[in-house]
Amino acid sequence: MLFPTLGFGLFFLAVYSLAWLLRGSNEWRKIVLLIASWIFYGAWDWRFVLLLIASGFFNWGVGRLIGLAGDDERRRKLLVCLGVALNLAVLAWFKYYNFFMEQAEALLRSLGWERDLALMQVILPVGISFFTFQGMSYIIDVYRRQTRVAGLLDMTLLMSFFPHLVAGPIVRASHLVPQFRSVPEISRGMAAMGLLLIVWGLFKKAVIASELATRFVDPVFFDPAAYSSLDLVLAAYGYAVQIYCDFSAYSDMAIGLAALLGYRFPHNFNQPYRARSLQDFWRRWHISLSSWLRDYLYIPLGGSRHGLARLCLALMTTMLLGGLWHGANWTFVIWGALHGGVLAAERLWRDFRPEGWPKLPPLLGIILTFHLVTLSWIFFRSASFGDAIAYLGGIAGGDWTTTILTPLGLVLILAGMSLHYLPRDGTQRLAVRVRTMPAALVGLAAGLAILVIDAMRPEGVAPFIYYQF
């Protein structure tokens, strides 16, 4: 079930109506939201609803046992290690089993031992990386005494809540569970912001991202040898805009849907392509993941507390694992390695910049960072390492005079980049104005905007890019 479809619209309308009809009983309201979330997830494959339920029960149980352990630090540490290990085992089985078997088989062959290992067609459950990370963060936070032990209903709803279930943001228990414990309220401001974010996200996904993907980016990446060097460069820029508009659109719609149900999600993007350094980029891009990696991986690995060498090692390890989190493919590992290497280089330059050398001008920093990110997107988007190298080889030598990019495609790329230079609080300002308008007029305007977007978008609805992670 995809957000920008009529089926989801009808589904959400029914859930919205039931949720507010039951506001007098918060427990029944949460039960309805939980069942609705399982129906939403089951639209892909009902078998994996059981996995989602089991994951919620397991993480709730481990959190409760940690809470009951009191001051027995040895028992608490054993429980949190067990909880994290089993979460990772589930993720590894579904997402990485075949990848690791293929690498093991290739290694054995290189050593002269020809043997076929057991490969299986393991179906990847949608959103497993997101709800697994959410479960791990909960039990770690309970262990650290940074959040209270949640009740079973609150915990299963936290992990199953449909607005953020399949592609984030990764909402932590300390942020959302306290909201579940009290009866939600919705103001005109929240409703206005929610509607604006949904319509804005729909536009970014259905018009900008989908048009660029279907008309230009996907064909070029599918067969880069058939296109000019100019097309390859433009398609790399196009993909940078596509993935931003696609993923930020999902986050905007998720935040908007949650707001209409009375809950607040944290923002997940902050104009990332105006970042002046790669460190700044990761403070702006997929903020819920970058903060998760910082708090649960980078800092426990030592962070900046144990010298520069340890810091660089922690950065590289964090970004390599962050790359692998995105998928079982060497292209994601290389993508993570590029980011980790540049982050380490930035830190080394900051600490050892020769005395008297000027700092990089902000505009030059933005341009350089954007192109480093775009270069890494080529590996992220390519199906294999060989395809990425072929793509880069095509850029290095070829025709720079012809292109298949249409004027509309060029306008969309430029529009996608210009979004990063709009006022940061533009949506909030507009919401302040919208909340004073009559409800009937707001509904009519939102309906007309959706109809216009539907008329502008290409045929069909492609899944969000981050559904595969």
Side-chain angles (χ1 to χ4, degrees):
M1 194 181 299
L2 301 173
F3 283 177
T5 60
L6 177 61
F8 177 79
L10 296 174
F11 165 82
F12 182 75
L13 184 61
V15 174
Y16 175 85
S17 302
L18 278 173
W20 288 111
L21 283 172
L22 293 170
R23 65 175 302 178
S25 173
N26 194 36
E27 297 305 303
W28 276 108
R29 188 181 199 271
K30 290 188 288 187
I31 290 171
V32 166
L33 290 176
L34 182 60
I35 294 172
S37 297
W38 290 341
I39 293 172
F40 172 82
Y41 194 70
W44 278 282
D45 193 323
W46 271 105
R47 294 171 296 177
F48 292 124
V49 175
L50 296 177
L51 174 65
L52 181 62
I53 295 172
S55 183
F57 270 70
F58 171 75
N59 286 290
W60 166 78
V62 172
R64 182 167 176 78
L65 289 174
I66 292 172
L68 292 173
D71 295 327
D72 188 345
E73 194 59 31
R74 183 172 178 274
R75 185 181 176 192
R76 287 166 54 83
K77 187 173 292 188
L78 178 64
L79 286 167
V80 74
C81 289
L82 176 64
V84 170
L86 288 179
N87 271 294
L88 290 175
V90 171
L91 185 61
W93 168 257
F94 283 102
K95 195 165 185 175
Y96 304 108
Y97 174 81
N98 280 342
F99 175 72
F100 288 138
M101 288 297 102
E102 288 168 1
Q103 306 315 308
E105 186 174 328
L107 177 62
L108 291 175
R109 286 180 179 174
S110 68
L111 296 174
W113 188 17
E114 295 285 340
R115 181 169 182 176
D116 292 329
L117 299 181
L119 297 179
M120 292 179 284
Q121 291 297 322
V122 179
I123 301 173
L124 181 65
V126 175
I128 187 171
S129 297
F130 287 93
F131 67 74
T132 300
F133 267 33
Q134 201 151 287
M136 285 194 293
S137 68
Y138 166 71
I139 59 177
I140 293 171
D141 284 352
V142 170
Y143 168 75
R144 293 174 174 175
R145 294 186 171 88
Q146 293 176 347
T147 192
R148 291 167 50 192
V149 176
L152 178 59
L153 178 56
D154 288 344
M155 184 59 198
T156 50
L157 182 56
L158 168 73
M159 294 191 61
S160 304
F161 195 34
F162 69 87
H164 70 87
L165 174 58
V166 295
I170 304 171
V171 186
R172 301 190 193 183
S174 58
H175 181 88
L176 193 52
V177 169
Q179 297 184 58
F180 288 156
R181 290 187 179 124
S182 59
V183 179
E185 295 183 0
I186 184 169
S187 64
R188 290 182 66 89
M190 283 183 68
M193 179 63 78
L195 283 173
L196 286 173
L197 286 172
I198 291 169
V199 173
W200 181 230
L202 184 62
F203 174 78
K204 287 193 290 183
K205 167 60 179 175
V207 177
I208 300 179
S210 294
E211 181 70 27
L212 284 175
T214 57
R215 309 290 188 192
F216 185 54
V217 174
D218 287 352
V220 173
F221 271 90
F222 180 75
D223 186 13
Y227 297 91
S228 69
S229 297
L230 182 58
D231 276 330
L232 297 180
V233 171
L234 291 173
Y237 290 146
Y239 184 68
V241 171
Q242 178 202 340
I243 192 171
Y244 166 74
C245 287
D246 188 285
F247 192 21
S248 67
Y250 182 94
S251 294
D252 287 346
M253 296 179 78
I255 294 168
L257 293 167
L260 291 181
L261 292 171
Y263 304 109
R264 291 179 172 85
F265 283 0
H267 288 288
N268 210 23
F269 289 88
N270 180 21
Q271 299 178 320
Y273 291 153
R274 66 184 298 171
R276 299 181 182 183
S277 66
L278 203 60
Q279 182 185 44
D280 188 25
F281 173 81
W282 278 103
R283 290 171 178 161
R284 297 167 176 266
W285 175 273
H286 202 349
I287 298 168
S288 63
L289 175 64
S290 60
S291 61
W292 197 101
L293 293 172
R294 178 198 65 206
D295 294 343
Y296 301 107
L297 192 55
Y298 171 71
I299 292 176
L301 286 172
S304 58
R305 296 168 298 167
H306 301 288
L308 191 58
R310 181 76 172 270
L311 179 146
C312 292
L313 179 62
L315 281 173
M316 283 299 300
T317 303
T318 299
M319 295 313 301
L320 283 170
L321 293 176
L324 194 60
W325 175 87
H326 284 84
N329 194 319
W330 283 111
T331 55
F332 295 118
V333 176
I334 293 166
W335 174 80
L338 287 171
H339 278 260
V342 175
L343 286 169
E346 286 180 351
R347 182 55 185 261
L348 290 170
W349 177 253
R350 192 186 81 179
D351 288 357
F352 296 105
R353 180 166 56 91
E355 187 177 351
W357 279 51
K359 292 183 178 180
L360 203 62
L363 179 59
L364 186 57
I366 291 171
I367 293 172
L368 181 60
T369 300
F370 172 70
H371 283 87
L372 285 170
V373 170
T374 301
L375 172 65
S376 70
W377 284 141
I378 293 174
F379 289 92
F380 191 94
R381 173 60 179 80
S382 298
S384 67
F385 176 74
D387 288 347
I389 296 301
Y391 196 102
L392 294 172
I395 292 176
D399 181 12
W400 289 88
T401 60
T402 61
T403 180
I404 65 165
L405 181 65
T406 63
L408 174 60
L410 179 60
V411 167
L412 292 177
I413 292 174
L414 294 175
M417 291 302 302
S418 70
L419 299 180
H420 294 75
Y421 296 91
L422 296 175
R424 297 184 184 183
D425 61 347
T427 308
Q428 290 90 331
R429 290 182 186 178
L430 186 56
V432 170
R433 295 186 179 185
V434 170
R435 72 182 183 183
T436 63
M437 297 167 58
L441 182 58
V442 173
L444 178 62
L448 288 174
I450 292 172
L451 288 176
V452 170
I453 291 170
D454 186 65
M456 293 173 64
R457 72 181 185 180
E459 291 294 325
V461 180
F464 288 92
I465 292 173
Y466 267 66
Y467 275 21
Q468 63 184 296
F469 306 137

